[in-house]
Amino acid sequence: MLRERIRIRLKAYDHRVLDQSTAEIVDTAKRTGAQVAGPIPLPTIKNKFTTLRSPHVDKKSREQFEIRTHKRLVDILDPTPQTVDALMKLDLPAGVDVEIKAFGKEHK
């Protein structure tokens, strides 16, 4: 017996937009009759950048910036054709990176 699964990874700098997008995906999948595992929060990546405040003097005066990349994981188990169609038509906000993978898993 073949068991299908769709794995969706979402990335964004703003966690509120990311949570809104994951909620939209979960609601769409549940409405079409598929089972949903998640959203699972993955570790946040923090990128730190250090720059000089002044181009000539005050070498010791520096400024630090941080960009946080938030991630979520959603698994859709046993998706129906309606689920796939609804996910393709879904309009997500700008600033959210979506990565979709489909798996077919042998189930004994």
Side-chain angles (χ1 to χ4, degrees), residues 9-25 28 87 89-99:
R9 284 184 62 154
L10 299 149
K11 291 183 195 176
Y13 295 128
D14 187 8
H15 67 91
R16 289 168 288 198
V17 173
L18 184 64
D19 290 336
Q20 176 186 349
S21 299
T22 52
E24 231 174 284
I25 290 172
T28 304
L87 287 174
K89 292 177 185 175
L90 204 58
D91 189 29
L92 295 177
V96 178
D97 180 40
V98 181
E99 198 176 295

Side-chain angles (χ1 to χ4, degrees), residues 62-73:
R62 295 174 183 242
E63 202 167 5
Q64 291 187 330
F65 300 98
E66 179 179 280
I67 296 177
R68 294 181 181 206
T69 307
H70 302 276
K71 298 184 204 172
R72 300 288 184 269
L73 181 74

